[in-house]
Amino acid sequence: MSTSNDAAGLAALSICESLLLAMNDHGLLPENEIVGVLRDAASTHENTIDTEPDAEIHRAAAALINQIITQGNSVYRPPA
């Protein structure tokens, strides 16, 4: 992946995190819905056909999203 693609991905992740935080802070989206959004996103990447040229990056994206679900990040903190 090129540096510009890496930067675009990082920017997109940051923007999405900020949006999810704002929606949660303002009572627009409860935490369980945030987890649902994350699970849907991971599932989309997990269901990529292995023969697709970008299958490896989709698996990595799904792994990252699943890590956010289990370990938390600035948007979601799993119950202690």
Side-chain angles (χ1 to χ4, degrees), residues 1 4 9 12 14 22 33 42 45 47 67 73-74 76 78:
M1 189 176 265
S4 63
S14 297
E33 290 292 328
H45 289 288
N47 291 326
Q67 181 179 346
N73 68 355
S74 64
Y76 169 71

Side-chain angles (χ1 to χ4, degrees), residues 5-75:
N5 284 346
D6 290 345
L10 187 57
L13 178 61
S14 297
I15 291 166
C16 289
E17 284 182 308
S18 294
L19 287 171
L20 288 172
L21 274 173
M23 286 190 272
N24 185 258
D25 289 348
H26 293 285
L28 300 172
L29 197 61
E31 194 170 283
N32 67 318
E33 290 292 328
I34 291 172
V35 174
V37 167
L38 294 171
R39 286 193 175 126
D40 286 347
S43 178
T44 297
H45 289 288
E46 289 167 343
N47 291 326
T48 300
I49 299 170
D50 283 336
T51 58
E52 287 190 26
D54 295 332
E56 185 176 332
I57 196 72
H58 284 286
R59 282 192 296 276
L64 177 60
I65 296 166
N66 285 319
Q67 181 179 346
I68 290 168
I69 292 169
T70 59
Q71 297 177 6
N73 68 355
S74 64
V75 175

